[in-house]
Amino acid sequence: MSTVISAEALQQFAKGKDFLGIDGKVALITGAGNGIGLAIAHAFAVNGVKLVLIDIDAHALQETEDALKVVNPKVEIVSYPLSVTDENAVNQAVDDAVKHYGRIDILINNAGVSMNKPTLELTGEEWRRAIDINVNGVFYFARAVGKYMTQQHDGVILNMASMYGVVAAPERAAYCASKASVAMLTKVLAVEWANQGVRVNAIAPGYIKTALVDDLVARGRMDLAALTKRTPVGRLGEIHEIAQLALFLVSKNASFINGNISVIDGGWSTYSYI
């Protein structure tokens, strides 16, 4: 039996950037001051999305806003410099953003920190910092934004997990535990809020060329040549590749994808390396 494609679907296929259906939407992005968050902000801006930018670094946040306006002078942006670990500041920023735009359609929970250290040397303070930023920050924003999304019966939340929330690695106890928590939180919210029109998914990047990775390489905590050799595609990922996946997952074309952890690691976690 042949499959019938509706006229509406065929029109959507032919609409270029309108294929995404996100023009005019409002997106809140945490960790927007650099790296993956900055790349996602650019990807959204060129597709007509109104932005709410969050970062603890006020200077980096301003630089992001300036860079976005150079590329797209008409882009609408409001920014809030804050720590994702500050529950009250998170709630206030979300409330203010909704008052400004009237709604939030997309949440990108991107802010996070690495923690690469032998477990026997890992301090309680370092453990708590990783959990506080990587898990609690994701929860605070998901809950604050989810309150509005469930009321409007529409919205997409995209959390930034990691391939190290799916597979394990030595000397990353806090990081692996925190990112595995993000993956499970994603699944819980996905099944809890689906009947209220909210989809929740996660991206789980592998090694991506960012300032964070550059710093770890410079400090001798990562071997770039070994990482490249270990990755089946033979290179590290680029931040624009994460942004492209984010664009798809928040679009109407991913409308039946919910509770999914999308690993994007060049085949790293699939390869049983010896």
Side-chain angles (χ1 to χ4, degrees):
M1 183 174 67
S2 62
T3 300
V4 177
I5 306 297
S6 70
E8 180 181 357
L10 291 172
Q11 289 174 357
Q12 289 298 326
F13 291 164
K15 281 188 176 181
K17 78 172 186 178
D18 291 340
F19 176 70
L20 296 170
I22 60 175
D23 185 30
K25 298 285 188 181
V26 178
L28 187 155
I29 305 170
T30 70
N34 54 65
I36 291 171
L38 173 61
I40 293 174
H42 274 286
F44 284 2
V46 299
N47 281 282
V49 176
K50 302 172 184 178
L51 300 174
V52 182
L53 304 181
I54 306 290
D55 202 282
I56 194 171
D57 186 334
H59 179 68
L61 198 58
Q62 186 60 58
E63 288 187 334
T64 294
E65 187 168 341
D66 293 343
L68 289 168
K69 289 180 177 178
V70 168
V71 176
N72 182 4
K74 294 183 179 180
V75 64
E76 295 185 45
I77 304 173
V78 292
S79 299
Y80 302 97
L82 61 87
S83 170
V84 298
T85 67
D86 186 336
E87 182 179 1
N88 291 331
V90 168
N91 291 335
Q92 188 62 59
V94 171
D95 289 345
D96 288 350
V98 171
K99 288 178 182 177
H100 180 84
Y101 284 123
R103 60 188 292 124
I104 295 175
D105 302 291
I106 299 164
L107 168 63
I108 306 296
N109 255 325
N110 169 71
V113 293
S114 179
M115 192 59 68
N116 184 338
K117 194 172 185 179
T119 301
L120 295 180
E121 299 175 13
L122 186 67
T123 67
E125 182 181 357
E126 290 168 329
W127 170 271
R128 288 187 293 272
R129 180 171 184 266
I131 298 300
D132 205 13
I133 296 173
N134 293 352
V135 183
N136 296 345
V138 169
F139 169 71
Y140 294 151
F141 266 103
R143 183 184 58 184
V145 173
K147 177 180 68 174
Y148 290 103
M149 288 184 173
T150 54
Q151 290 174 356
Q152 66 197 29
H153 295 281
D154 182 57
V156 180
I157 296 174
L158 189 56
N159 298 323
M160 201 60 63
S162 168
M163 71 175 184
Y164 283 142
V166 178
V167 298
E171 302 186 355
R172 292 172 178 81
Y175 189 72
C176 288
S178 67
K179 291 302 186 177
S181 295
V182 170
M184 186 53 67
L185 176 60
T186 297
K187 294 179 180 183
V188 170
L189 298 181
V191 297
E192 185 173 343
W193 293 344
N195 65 356
Q196 296 175 76
V198 180
R199 292 191 298 111
V200 187
N201 292 295
I203 292 178
Y207 287 105
I208 309 299
K209 290 200 297 188
T210 64
L212 177 63
V213 168
D214 289 343
D215 176 64
L216 291 172
V217 170
R219 291 193 287 115
R221 297 301 304 161
M222 286 185 181
D223 184 333
L224 188 59
L227 292 179
T228 301
K229 181 180 179 181
R230 169 64 174 77
T231 306
V233 300
R235 64 175 177 84
L236 271 60
E238 302 281 350
I239 56 175
H240 74 265
E241 293 174 307
I242 307 300
Q244 288 168 340
L245 178 57
L247 275 175
F248 169 71
L249 288 173
V250 303
S251 79
K252 59 187 176 185
N253 300 290
S255 57
F256 202 55
I257 299 176
N258 189 43
N260 183 63
I261 314 301
S262 298
V263 179
I264 175 169
D265 64 359
W268 177 287
S269 56
T270 302
Y271 184 22
S272 298
Y273 183 75
I274 298 177

